[in-house]
Amino acid sequence: TQGVPKHFIESSTIDMETSTHIASRVSAAGSYFVDAPCSGGVGGAAKGTLTFMVGCKDPSTSSSSSTDSSVFNAIHPLLSSQGTNIFACGGPTLGLATKITNNYISGNIAIATAEGMNLGLHLGLHPATLSHILSLSTGGSWVNSHCNPVPGVCPDAAPSRNYENGFKVELMAKDYRLAVEAAKQH
């Protein structure tokens, strides 16, 4: 409809500077820009259980730190059709800031889980037993319980499916680069 502002939703995990640039261009055109990166991977997308981290603001306001509830409420039904967890993280780029932080933490946990499982296997532990004990102990994590790096431990995880539809190492390297760049800038 003529005159009705459009909502542009960016769900990629990109650098915050690019997002800010695109948001300013969209805002200058009188439309709404939302950074809404998602987490949950291919499995979450297939099941409709993605988590969205939303950063948005109304282009007619000057505040950049708080979420515009009218924009968030307008896009919530669309995001809810793809995910079960939709979070308002604040103004522009704060959805990305949340996702970059999440991926940095998750990557470190994945490395620790792989190293720990490798140690346990070399010490003679059964991988499923070790993973179960970890899930009930301080070494437990989402990575251990949902995408354990040892084939056969998590039947739906990429290692148990010959790494089909798995999260690529190149993407994790990009996510680490984004986190390091964000840390240097702030």
Side-chain angles (χ1 to χ4, degrees):
T1 307
Q2 189 76 353
V4 175
K6 293 178 174 54
H7 294 85
F8 291 85
I9 303 171
E10 171 59 60
S11 291
S12 300
T13 305
I14 61 174
D15 63 282
M16 293 164 46
E17 294 71 33
T18 299
S19 181
T20 299
H21 175 73
I22 295 168
S24 68
R25 301 285 304 267
V26 170
S27 180
S31 293
Y32 304 99
F33 180 84
V34 178
D35 59 284
C38 57
S39 183
V42 174
K47 294 175 187 170
T49 59
L50 293 172
T51 295
F52 286 92
M53 295 147 257
V54 179
C56 62
K57 93 176 193 82
D58 184 325
S60 65
T61 66
S62 59
S63 173
S64 63
S65 62
S66 62
T67 300
D68 179 87
S69 60
S70 65
V71 174
F72 182 77
N73 292 338
I75 66 166
H76 194 277
L78 175 65
L79 298 179
S80 292
S81 71
Q82 303 168 63
T84 53
N85 302 297
I86 319 298
F87 293 99
C89 298
T93 73
L94 294 181
L96 277 169
T98 305
K99 178 67 187 289
I100 290 168
T101 301
N102 175 74
N103 286 5
Y104 181 75
I105 293 168
S106 179
N108 286 321
I109 292 169
I111 291 168
T113 301
E115 290 292 329
M117 291 299 294
N118 189 45
L119 172 63
L121 294 175
H122 279 89
L123 293 174
L125 299 168
H126 187 276
T129 301
L130 176 57
S131 176
H132 180 70
I133 292 168
L134 292 175
S135 73
L136 302 171
S137 303
T138 58
S141 67
W142 186 92
V143 170
N144 172 62
S145 298
H146 291 85
C147 55
N148 192 290
V150 178
V153 173
C154 296
D156 293 332
S160 299
R161 294 180 288 103
N162 199 29
Y163 297 93
E164 179 183 309
N165 293 329
F167 188 77
K168 297 188 180 342
V169 171
E170 294 85 2
L171 291 175
M172 193 70 249
K174 181 249 329 169
D175 290 341
Y176 269 118
R177 187 185 77 251
L178 290 172
V180 169
E181 288 173 5
K184 285 179 181 177
Q185 292 170 2
H186 296 279

